[in-house]
Amino acid sequence: MSILLLTSVSTEEETMWLNQLRSALPEEDVTLLAELNDRADVDIAIVANPPQEVLRTLPKLKMIQSLWAGVDALLGDPTLPENVPLVRLIDPTLSASMAEATATHVLALHRDLPRYAKQQQRQEWQQHELLRSSDRTIGILGLGEMGVASAQQLRALGFNVRGWSRSLKSIEGIKCFAGQERLKEFLQGLDILVNLLPLTPETMGILSKDLFFQLPKGTGLINFGRGGHQIEGDVVAALDDGQLSHAVLDVFSQEPLPADNPLWRHPKITLLPHVAAPTNQKTAVEIVARNIKNYRRTGLLPKQVERSVGY
Ligand code: NDP
Ligand code: OXD
């Protein structure tokens, strides 16, 4: 059987993936669509934003392995075959990278860096009160691979940390909340809100004016989840009237963000080009190769995406 690598990344990047996968799986036939003789030979597809229509033409497909952690785009593809198990990338290196990004930007807001940057432009020497990290409460939406690593990192920096998830968790040092009915309580008293949810029908548009008005005035927002979580107009309105003090946005409904999008120029937005936690090719290949070798040896598939809930 063959393994098909199916992506819409640049040819150069795809070739790097192909070469690394081939050397990590020397006993396998890892191939690109253009080199494939018979689609019935493929039983595993390794995908990164794959073109639509192809996966459903592979009659013997047994597993789709994503090279990304978030599978919202894949699940949004109406041509995705229904009954083929879908496995997303779960990589401790990715979680550590996300925890680092979360800590970086929480510390930047905690230390008032956007405000001092503006003062520098005006050559204005003015000191503001410095709070202790233990005087701040940070809330994390989503307590999965990314959320837990980030929560623990923030805790280690001395912040009070809360987390919100669908099912209730118990994590040392983190105050956990679960479900829609505890969301309001979770949001009350936060200084900074970090979004690390997957994009699903339930979480789409969660970063809206309704949610912002449940936060204390002047809360900082960090969105590292997906662009579909934020209602852009509501974010801008909340920044303009001071309900939000500053927003760090890494993800957008349309990526790359078009040059004429006003978010680029908003003085209270730090804008990043989807770089919070990029897939690390080396560790991702190791994990994917391990998943495939294990599947070949035991017939067991890795943990699968629950399609009915969307993550
Ligand atoms: P996980 O699936 O491990 O965790 C998802 C978390 O969200 C879980 O705690 C889950 O709750 C919670 N959740 C899901 N739906 C709801 C809901 N309706 N209400 C409350 N909580 C909910 O995902 P990861 O942590 O691995 O990744 C999260 C997202 O981060 C990805 O889907 C992707 O969009 C984004 N990401 C962004 C990157 C970037 O560079 N910007 C890089 C990598 C990922 P429960 O635990 O109860 O199931
Ligand atoms: C991912 C991402 O989902 O890079 O892996 O956003």
Side-chain angles (χ1 to χ4, degrees):
M1 298 303 290
S2 296
I3 297 175
L4 177 65
L5 175 64
L6 196 59
T7 80
S8 57
V9 299
S10 67
T11 311
E12 193 188 3
E13 192 184 338
E14 190 174 64
T15 307
M16 277 160 53
W17 279 110
L18 186 66
N19 291 341
Q20 294 216 27
L21 285 162
R22 281 179 174 160
S23 62
L25 292 162
E27 63 289 357
E28 298 281 349
D29 171 37
V30 187
T31 182
L32 296 174
L33 191 61
E35 297 163 359
L36 188 66
N37 291 325
D38 186 353
R39 292 188 183 210
D41 284 342
V42 176
D43 69 339
I44 297 174
I46 300 175
V47 303
N49 202 10
Q52 292 195 1
E53 304 285 354
V54 180
L55 290 167
R56 71 168 169 198
T57 65
L58 307 171
K60 303 256 176 64
L61 195 59
K62 295 284 183 307
M63 163 169 45
I64 301 169
Q65 166 75 65
S66 170
L67 293 173
W68 288 352
V71 287
D72 45 290
L74 208 45
L75 290 176
D77 172 0
T79 71
L80 186 73
E82 265 173 30
N83 298 317
V84 180
L86 177 57
V87 177
R88 70 191 190 93
L89 184 67
I90 298 181
D91 180 352
T93 298
L94 199 64
S95 312
S97 178
M98 184 60 91
E100 187 180 270
T102 303
T104 300
H105 293 280
V106 164
L107 284 170
L109 297 185
H110 163 59
R111 284 285 185 149
D112 261 344
L113 293 195
R115 192 179 192 184
Y116 286 117
K118 281 184 202 109
Q119 286 187 198
Q120 183 179 351
Q121 282 168 5
R122 300 191 296 263
Q123 290 146 297
E124 182 182 317
W125 184 278
Q126 198 193 339
Q127 296 168 342
H128 303 284
E129 185 193 5
L130 178 62
L131 297 183
R132 297 167 303 175
S133 56
S134 58
D135 295 325
R136 305 267 198 200
T137 302
I138 320 298
I140 300 190
L141 293 166
L143 280 177
E145 304 294 330
M146 305 294 145
V148 171
S150 298
Q152 288 171 335
Q153 178 72 76
L154 294 175
R155 188 70 207 112
L157 289 167
F159 292 102
N160 301 299
V161 185
R162 296 182 192 168
W164 183 71
S165 51
R166 212 156 56 92
S167 57
L168 190 60
K169 312 279 177 235
S170 165
I171 307 166
E172 202 185 330
I174 315 295
K175 195 160 180 209
C176 296
F177 299 75
Q180 206 58 43
E181 57 291 354
R182 306 272 322 270
L183 182 59
K184 188 172 178 195
E185 192 188 340
F186 161 81
L187 295 169
Q188 279 166 7
L190 293 186
D191 293 290
I192 299 171
L193 177 68
V194 183
N195 176 42
L196 288 171
L197 287 165
L199 185 64
T200 71
E202 270 190 40
T203 65
M204 171 97 63
I206 186 169
L207 301 177
S208 66
K209 68 173 181 307
D210 287 354
L211 180 142
F212 299 146
F213 281 99
Q214 295 177 57
L215 290 165
K217 199 162 176 76
T219 302
L221 171 70
I222 299 177
N223 185 12
F224 288 161
R226 283 288 184 261
H229 287 130
Q230 71 216 0
I231 298 179
E232 289 183 6
D234 288 4
V235 174
V236 169
L239 288 166
D240 288 344
D241 73 11
Q243 185 59 28
L244 292 176
S245 55
H246 194 87
V248 179
L249 307 178
D250 182 57
V251 284
F252 304 90
S253 295
Q254 193 183 345
E255 294 182 7
L257 187 68
D260 62 355
N261 190 305
L263 296 180
W264 278 112
R265 283 168 293 280
H266 198 288
K268 293 185 180 171
I269 291 180
T270 299
L271 201 145
L272 300 165
H274 201 137
V275 287
T279 297
N280 177 296
Q281 203 169 58
K282 182 171 178 290
T283 55
V285 164
E286 282 164 12
I287 285 163
V288 167
R290 195 185 318 139
N291 286 347
I292 291 172
K293 284 179 185 170
N294 196 45
Y295 171 63
R296 293 284 190 237
R297 206 178 56 249
T298 64
L300 294 174
L301 289 162
K303 185 180 169 207
Q304 292 164 42
V305 170
E306 247 188 89
R307 291 194 188 205
S308 59
V309 286
Y311 68 100

